[in-house]
Structure formats: structure tokens, C-alpha cells
Amino acid sequence: MPCCIVQPNRSPPTESKPMSMQEKYTPAEIERAAQAHWDLTAAARAVEDASRPKYYCLSMFPYPSGKLHMGHVRNYTIGDVLSRFHKMQGYNVLQPMGWDAFGMPAENAALANNVAPAGWTYSNIEYMKQQLKSLGFAIDWQRELATCTPEYYRWEQWLFTRLYEKGLLYKKLGTVNWDPVDHTVLANEQVIDGRGWRSGALVEKREIPMYYMKITAYAEELLAELDNLPGWPEQVRLMQKNWIGKSTGVRFAFPLAAEFAQSADEKLWVFTTRADTIMGVTFVAVAAEHPLATRAAENNPELAAFIAECKQGGVAEADLATMEKKGMPTGIFVSHPLTGEQVEVWVGNYVLMSYGDGAVMAVPAHDERDFAFAKKYDLPIKQVIAADGESFSLDGWQEWYGDKQKGACINSGKYDGLAYEAAVDAIAADLAAKGLGEKKVQFRLRDWGISRQRYWGCPIPIIHCPTCGDVPVPDEQLPVVLPEDVEITGAGSPLARMPEFYECQCPKCGGDAKRETDTMDTFFESSWYFLRYACPDNATAMVDERVAYWCKGGIDQYIGGIEHAILHLLYSRFFTKLMRDVGLIGDLGEPFANLLTQGMVVAPTFYREGDGEQNRGKKLWLNPADVDVVTDERGRPTGATLKADGQPVIIGGTEKMSKSKNNGVDPQSLIEQYGADTARLFMMFAAPPDQSLEWSDAGVEGAFRFLRRLWKLVHDHVQTGTTLNSEAAPRVNAEIEAKSLSTVQTDLRRKLHQTMQKVADDYGRRKQFNTAIAAVMELLNAYDKANNGTDLSDAAGRALAQELLEAVTLLLFPIVPHIGQALYSELKPGADAGLASFPKADPAALKQDEIELMVQVNGKLRGSIRVAAEADKASIEAAALASEGAVKFMEGKPAKKVVVVPGRLVNIVV
RNA sequence: GCCGAGAUGGCGGAAUCGGUAGACGCAGCGGAUUCAAAAUCCGCCGCCGAAAGGUGUGAGGGUUCGAGUCCCUCUCUCGGCACCA
């Protein structure tokens, strides 16, 4: 690495004019030099400093899948812009990076290419790290971590044992996708149309013992704290709120009729939010896994077959919810808790064992799903709610049937006439009096199953002893190191076939025991990595006091994909509270004070219909880089052809960049062709961060053209020589009095200072970088116009040009730091843009004497007037009424009303 | 199915608190420069209309002096749904 370059963009001394600025914009050269300079000066190193406000800017760490994709480039550019901007604002900035290194793709790669997951992962990390470096991100690489290293995962094993001892981690049966051919557990992603992705076999549900985190114990706090997150997007808070799904209802029991009960007081418990409709219950539905269903099936082969059918298919909720609703009677009857009426128990494939008690009361008249089910199986429907102006009919479902805000009870005996809340209260009280139920808060949130029957993950630190049971691995035996020399076969975990891994002694009794061979969900690693960045070098503790410095008041900015809006963010919030309760960290409150959820990177797709035996009916996806789009004379696309053969291809939709649609663009080739600054500028300019970003080759070229133009403007200014490359360059307000500026110069200077204000607001408050860039482009257009005339040729003009170009360089620096570094040192020799302060608008320059107001007649734009900035309402009205457009369109009628919106417009109503 | 978001010119997008719709860029068209091309520069660019003007923010309705923005109904697209990360 070169170490002698301090001024990155100096021409080599061999040239005839050694001090002159290079005319051509050469990104490769200036980027190499700028990065070398930052490396040399440790520009991104973050050191705790209590005397300065800190700014911890965190981007979701990548999975090392092989190479960076555009989504990464976008994510990390957003983070870098915010980091650099805040550094220029005087903050002590931390921007770390690491690797979410455990996961299925490493095992898949091992299967496909016969490479070891560990080796594959580490080489991917090495390559992707170089890619990140070539993009010029101000990352403190001394804090780099990878979750697949024992130095990292030993601490989560340690935490696991603490939580296990506290009862916050426990074992119970869980349902998984089972591939009966490959004899392996499948992830939901590996189940395609109900079949295993490799074997093609019909997937079955299977119950196995798993470890669970008691996240439900924190449901109330996780929900309540959402209100303390003003820096989060509203929709993410709402999604989490709905995910936690707190509902207040009534949990009550149907006593089993004597001939079906195994004990005298056996009951079937259900939970409902609609206790007001309890008199409309005509049957009860239980999940296929419910004990009552199992019992009923013992002597009922038909029901047993139905239950077996329910166990076909995967466990993904989306599949369960879109399934055709089916059911079968059990022949078991229970008593209605209030009427004593006999109600039959059905098995329903739509009832989830994991929610509540795995059983629901069915009120077909007032629940849409029950209504459809009752119609299908010809079960009775009993109306118990009536609403004014509505009539109930069995012919079809109407929205109001299920609306708890509408109507009151009927056909419900003593509850008749009561509205929702009063009815629920009365019914709950009566159930409680009978000892058959009570009001209950129920959460949709379920405990988090963390066991995975996979190899490439963190080993669960438990030893199974035939005499002592499950024993957590003692601290001094941690970490339980994952062996890296293994054979991946695709059938179960290799750990389960490695006696050298699982054979061990019980830490309690010393007898022969078996080590747990399941690994942890990779969400476990990503739930606390942001705390470890504060102290990645600590070999004796999971976290230390540096967490308090960097994470105080929450991480200042978290940036990542919207697809993580629920699970990852919820688990991370949960971990912060767990770690607080284990005494590891003080009460940091919420981990992420501000959250920015970036949109996806999408690109057009192209395909041809396949032919021949193999491909008939299949779409053969073509990469956009290999396709020419044909347009008409107005630029509208009319079709597309393949570059290779000139023959037409079909234009598909615009979709998320993916391998399967072959519409990905490799960031590497982009960097090589145009440089990192162009890639960064395009990504920030094409769309606001939280919206999806559409890839456009032409847009990339536009970004490159802009940087080339910026380079030339600065070059021309420097070559003109007014600044003489000296520190003594004249400044407006110092050597040059602001009032000596011409009108054109004053206007341009006002625009400059308005732009400073807007860009700072866009970076800091709005986090909308496309408009910041647009504002600078607009400013440069105005500069160009003034400069191309003779408006800037006098001394004041040169001083203004100097002020403007310096400011523009710094305004853009967070987005395009390499060219910024080079240009700034040309404008101010010896100066380092990376250490400069962000430009601050001068209030005096913002002042305006005269303003333009729009004139409307009946809300339609009819002209404009110029008035003094401090003009009063009466004189504005008078000027508006006298204006040409107003006179013409008022057609002599008197004004009924005149609305004056200060600084904006006048609306005359006639 | 459930939860969440979105829809504005040929395209990406702007309009920040209900106040000039289309900033900025791309594509396109016309011109200058060039032997020519590239690059660059200048101009035009929602739709209808010769113009005056009318009309226009997914569809339909509403509130308002004024609606892309607020309310209601609907359509389509995207994200998540607990073992993809």
C-alpha cells in the first residue's frame, strides 16, 4: 500500500506543469489515492471520547454469500453518507462492519461444490471485504467480527447457559417440516409446493424436542416500548405491534359430557375475543394435534385418516392460511358453559395448535371463517347479534355480521340488548362465577424455537446425561467448538454422525453422556452483534463498559432492508432486554433509536419461451446487460432484442434483482467501469432510501457525467487562477463585502446558502439524499449559467465562485468522498475534506427583499405578482386584485373572498 | 388468508405543514461544434388544442376558497408470515 501520497490528486512531477490540476476525471486513480490517504490517517478509526457526542451508525451486517450485491452497496452507502455527514457535524462516529457468517447457504455450497462450509465462508468474507474497501466506506475495520468464530459464538453459548438456568430458555416439542426421503428437517424455504426441494417428496409435519426462548414473557414490554421509538417508521412499529398481537378476550372451558370425559372435571379450553357471541356457538373446532382429536381418532379410522392428512404438507403459516378449510366431526360432545347445551367437537385444519389452547369456539353467524365452514358442512348457524338497518340472511356473508362495533345481542337471554363491551363483561363475570373462565390477555406472539438440525451454526451448549438430564455446559468448558472438518451429505446434521463431537462426560456426575448436536437459529447471532462491536476484542467478557458509551440512548442510526422489519428487529429488542436482566448491560432502553428501512433494488427482466424437450413452457431469463431495448421516436419502449442474435425477446416485469430471474447487475463491474463514486451517486440519486430502487444503466452514465462535469467546473475555476492556489483566496464577507455583489451574484449566493440549508436538512432530518443531490445539481446549473456569462469574472465573482465550489464539494462529500477529497485539496491546497466541517448557511445571505406570489382565481392559477418581502396583507390583496390575470378572469365580478397564504399565493373567490 | 406499504409524464423520481403538479436526472426530438464519430454545448419535451384555453397525480365518490397530499369505497403491485438471511 502506497504511503507517500498525502495530496491524492497531485499530478506526477514528471509533467510539464507539476502544480496544475489534472484536466480529466480519472476515478480509478483518485479513488485509490483517497483510500490510501484514509488508511494512512486511520480516518475511520472510532475511539471512545466522552468529551464529544457520539454517533453510532449501524448497517445490517451481510451474510457472506460470495460477493456483494446491489442491495449491500445501497445499504452501506446510506450508512456511509450518514456517518460522514455526522462526522462533519462534529460527532464522534462509529461505523462498524462484520459478517453474519452462519447459515444454510454454506451447507448448500458444500453440497453443490464439495467445499467445506468454513473455508467457503472465510474466502467469501475475504473477497467481500475487499469489495467494501473499494467502495470507500469509512468503516472501522479494527472492530470487524464474524459470527462463525469461537471468539464470537462462545459468548452466546455462555448467555444460553445463563438463560437456561433462569428458565428463560426451555425445552418442549416443536413442529418441523420432515422430508421422508432425505430423512432430514427442511426449512420453510426448502419446501416448494408441499414437497422437499431436493427429493421432491411430500413433506410431513413432525414433532421433535427443541429449545425455546421465552420471548412471550417480554411480550408486554416489547409492545409497550414501541411507543418510545419515535425514530422508527410508523409502519414497522405497527407491524411489530400486530405481530405481538395483544388481544384481550375470555378464556373459558366447555366441560366434556360425562360419557366422553376421562376424568370428572375434564374440560376443553378455548380463547375468544368475541365472548359477546357465546350464545351463538354451534360447534367447537380443535387442531389436528389436539389431545381430544387424538383420543377421538383412536377408534375412528376415518378421523385418523383425516388427522394424518392434516399432518401432510409444511408448517409455513401462509400455506396453512390459504389452504381449503376442511374439518371432520369427532363424535365427542361438550357442554355449553352457560346453557349446558351439547355442542359437537370438530377437528379443523385451520385451527392452530400454537395459538391459545389449540381450540376455538365456532360462531358461524358472526365469524366469516366459521360461516363458510358451517355452510360447507351444513352445521347450524344461530344469529345472536342484530344491528339497526341491517338484516341477517343465511344466503351469504355480510361484513356487519362480524363487526363488533355494530349492533347488540339478541337471542342471548339475559344478555339481549347489550353491546359488545357490556356483553363481554357480563358473560365473563358469569363464566367466572361458575369457575369456567375469566378475562385473559392473549398474545399472538409465540415463544422462539431456536434449535436447528443443521451443521453450520453455533452448537447448543447442552449435555444430555442419562441420570442428570439436560445439563448446561459449564463456563470453563466453553466454547463448544464447531468442528470445521466435516462431510456434508444433505441427510441430517454431520454432527450427529461424529462420536468425537457428541461423546462426552456429564459435568455433574462424570458419567458417559451425549452432547446436543443441534445448532442455534442464526437469528441468535444477529440479535446482539451490534453490542459486540463496541468491544470486539474483549476475551474475558461478552460485553463491557464501552457498550455504555456507544449505545447510550440507543444506536443512533440502524439501516437495513424492510424485510427484517419484524423478526430480526424484534429478536434484537428482546435480546437487549434479556441482557439487561442478566445484568450484562445497564438499562440501555431500546437498542435502535432511529431506524431506516431501505427499499429493494429492482431491475427489468427479459426472457424467451423455452423450446425443445427439456425447456418447453419454461421461461429462459436473459440478463439485461445482454439485451437492447427498442424504442419509438418518442423514447417509448416498443420491444427488446438479444444483443447476440438481434432477435426479439419478451419484456417481463421489473423485479427484485435475483439469480432466478437473471436480472442482477454485479457491483464489481460497475466499480471497475465508472468508479465507486459513480456507483454511490447513482444509488443515492435514483430513489429515496426507503423506496425500491430501479436499476438503470443510463442513470449510471448520468451520474458519471455529473461527476465529470463537476470535475471540469472546478478544474476551469482553479486554472483561471483567481485563487492562485493559496490560502489567501478572497472570501465573500471577509475581503469582499457582500453588498458589493451584483444582483446576479447576490441571487446566486442566496441560492448557494439556501442549498446548504436544504442539503443539511435532507441529510440530517429527512434522510432523503436524492433531493439533496438534485438541489446541488440545480445550484451548479445556476452557477454554470452565471459563469458562462461574464457575471462572475470580477473579483467579487471569483470570490463567490470559490465559496460556491468549496461548499459544493463539501455538500457532496458524504456521497462521493473520493472526488470530494481530490477537489477540495485543489480548491484549498493542503486541506483535508474528510476533516472539514459541513457548510453552514449565512442568514444574511438568505435574506430576500422581494418575493413572488401566485395569483389564483377560484383556485386556478392565473398569474403572479412581485411584492416586498414584508408587504402586509392589504397591499398584497390590492396588488393581486389589480394583476392582469385576476382582472381578466374575474370578468368584472366582485371578489366574494380573498385568501392570502403568506409567502405562497393569493386566491380570489368570485 | 392475515399484517404492512405503494401507485404522479416515455422512465426514475420532486412537490417537507392542505397552497405554482412534474424540481433534478434519464430517454427522446431539434440545433451548434466535428471531415466524421464520440464527447461537449444550446433549445424543446404531460395530454388535447392553431391559439385562447381546457385537462391531468391507479379507479369512483366526498370534505375544502384550494386536494398528489385529508376521509370513504375499489383495483393492481410489492414486503413479511415465525427453519432464507
Side-chain angles (χ1 to χ4, degrees), chain A residues 238-274:
Chain A
L238 194 55
M239 278 191 262
Q240 292 218 349
K241 185 180 176 220
N242 291 335
W243 184 265
I244 295 169
K246 180 179 180 175
S247 56
T248 313
V250 178
R251 181 172 180 260
F252 69 94
F254 292 84
L256 258 69
E259 66 264 43
F260 304 108
Q262 284 189 333
S263 60
D265 60 348
E266 190 181 1
K267 301 181 189 75
L268 174 62
W269 287 90
V270 300
F271 174 81
T272 180
T273 56
R274 290 303 308 271

Side-chain angles (χ1 to χ4, degrees), chain A residues 99 151 160 179 184 191 375 382 392 515 681 772 845 873 894:
Chain A
W99 309 95
E151 294 75 37
F160 182 105
D179 185 323
T184 192
V191 178
K375 295 277 268 190
K382 182 185 170 197
F392 190 91
R515 192 182 294 289
L681 179 64
K873 207 179 159 200

